[in-house]
Amino acid sequence: MMSSSALRCLARPVAGLLSRRVLAPASSRFFSDTSDTNDFYKSHRARDVIIRREDEVAECATYPDVDRLEKFGQYVATILPKYVQDVRMTSQNELEILIHPEGVVPVLGMLRDHTNAQFKGLMEITAVDVPSRPYRFELVYCLLSHHYNSRCIVKTYTDELTPIDSVTALFKSADFGEREVWDMFGIFFSGHPDLRRILTDYGFDGHPFRKDFPLTGYTEVRYDNEVGRVVYEPVEVAQEFRKFEMDTPWELFPNYREVPQHLLEAAAEKAAQEEGADEKK
């Protein structure tokens, strides 16, 4: 039989394993010992974690115990002070955890494996591009816990050159999700087993969901009968091929517009032809 000291060691909470002493600061371009202005989100100390709520909270039956979800957010910020920079509740009563880019794998791993979390489903990976920010991309992970019927959103940030650690080892669904974010936004995921485009064609130039990507793109595709294959050519938007038809049969506000003269003449001619046909009968 195990001794009492061995049992106490096995029952040690996860907070001891993830304490500040174990997670020593690592050298990274995101960390700065001189100033905390590089942090995209506002950081909080572990002893005074505050959950910020929206002013207008919608009634939502998906999360019957919002207070417990809020307390869990405070607990995550307490045991992971190195990575968690802000925790807040949205207007839809969803928990948002804003983390440092270096903490993607540790935080998501804790949320997946912790007994009081069990967010074992990665439902979606997406991103938001704001070019005016120092780190223009905001990466969003949407997690689902079937055991507790709860959702959690984890957000981090990066730029065009700094890669983010892949979470394919934690969630199999992250394979296609990270490929899609790489294809659309150009965010590179280090450690991904097969990071290649998934939605655009081979040899596609650029990333369509970036704000600086032109709406028309850079190339257009057509089939060339002379060479017998599909060819790529620079986009050419010729003004002479555009046709603007102002007289539409699906008029939205016919009672508040003046009827064009040619339409009045056509209607009068048609009415006269119908009257002549009636007289002949």
Side-chain angles (χ1 to χ4, degrees):
M1 297 180 62
M2 291 186 179
S3 62
S4 59
S5 60
L7 292 175
R8 285 195 298 270
C9 293
L10 291 177
R12 183 177 301 171
V14 71
L17 297 177
L18 300 175
S19 61
R20 187 187 296 271
R21 183 171 56 257
V22 176
L23 300 175
S27 59
S28 171
R29 62 172 296 183
F30 289 106
F31 287 107
S32 176
D33 297 334
T34 58
S35 174
D36 57 354
T37 57
N38 291 332
D39 288 342
F40 183 73
Y41 306 114
K42 296 180 180 179
S43 60
H44 293 282
R45 296 178 181 270
R47 58 175 178 270
D48 55 357
V49 177
I50 301 175
I51 303 294
R52 296 190 290 111
R53 285 176 170 267
E54 301 288 342
D55 295 334
E56 298 180 358
V57 180
E59 295 182 359
C60 183
T62 306
Y63 310 109
D65 196 350
V66 181
D67 295 334
R68 178 175 296 180
L69 197 63
E70 181 176 344
K71 292 179 181 178
F72 176 74
Q74 294 176 344
Y75 172 69
V76 173
T78 304
I79 67 175
L80 295 173
K82 175 183 176 183
Y83 297 130
V84 177
Q85 297 178 343
D86 197 1
V87 180
R88 62 191 181 189
M89 297 293 295
T90 65
S91 59
Q92 299 297 325
N93 291 330
E94 291 183 345
L95 178 64
E96 282 190 357
I97 303 176
L98 284 62
I99 66 173
H100 194 274
E102 296 289 338
V104 171
V105 174
V107 173
L108 293 184
M110 191 278 295
L111 293 176
R112 187 196 68 169
D113 299 333
H114 197 281
T115 305
N116 295 332
Q118 299 190 29
F119 290 98
K120 298 183 180 298
L122 178 61
M123 310 309 296
E124 183 182 2
I125 302 178
T126 185
V128 181
D129 182 17
V130 184
S132 60
R133 294 177 177 175
Y135 301 107
R136 60 183 295 182
F137 298 116
E138 185 176 45
L139 197 58
V140 183
Y141 298 86
C142 299
L143 304 177
L144 174 64
S145 175
H146 294 90
H147 185 80
Y148 293 105
N149 189 25
S150 300
R151 292 182 181 271
C152 177
I153 300 175
V154 179
K155 294 183 178 181
T156 186
Y157 52 90
T158 186
D159 54 15
E160 303 95 326
L161 303 177
T162 307
I164 296 293
D165 293 334
S166 175
V167 293
T168 52
L170 300 175
F171 304 97
K172 296 298 182 182
S173 60
D175 187 358
F176 280 15
E178 291 178 353
R179 286 180 58 185
E180 183 177 348
V181 172
W182 157 249
D183 192 3
M184 296 290 104
F185 293 93
I187 300 176
F188 187 82
F189 294 91
S190 61
H192 192 283
D194 187 20
L195 189 63
R196 53 192 171 94
R197 293 184 180 272
I198 190 173
L199 297 178
T200 57
D201 199 1
Y202 298 101
F204 188 85
D205 186 14
H207 303 280
F209 280 2
R210 287 188 177 184
K211 297 299 183 181
D212 51 5
F213 188 84
L215 296 178
T216 57
Y218 297 107
T219 58
E220 58 185 8
V221 183
R222 69 177 180 87
Y223 182 81
D224 194 339
N225 293 322
E226 296 181 358
V227 297
R229 63 180 177 85
V230 176
V231 296
Y232 293 83
E233 297 176 346
V235 175
E236 181 182 357
V237 183
Q239 183 70 28
E240 56 268 22
F241 290 113
R242 296 183 180 180
K243 183 180 180 181
F244 300 95
E245 185 65 40
M246 302 302 178
D247 298 332
T248 170
W250 298 279
E251 182 60 59
L252 300 178
F253 302 101
N255 297 331
Y256 302 97
R257 295 180 182 270
E258 295 182 0
V259 182
Q261 185 65 27
H262 68 279
L263 294 180
L264 292 176
E265 296 176 357
E269 184 179 355
K270 184 177 180 180
Q273 292 177 359
E274 293 177 353
E275 290 179 1
D278 294 339
E279 290 179 357
K280 290 180 180 180
K281 292 180 180 180

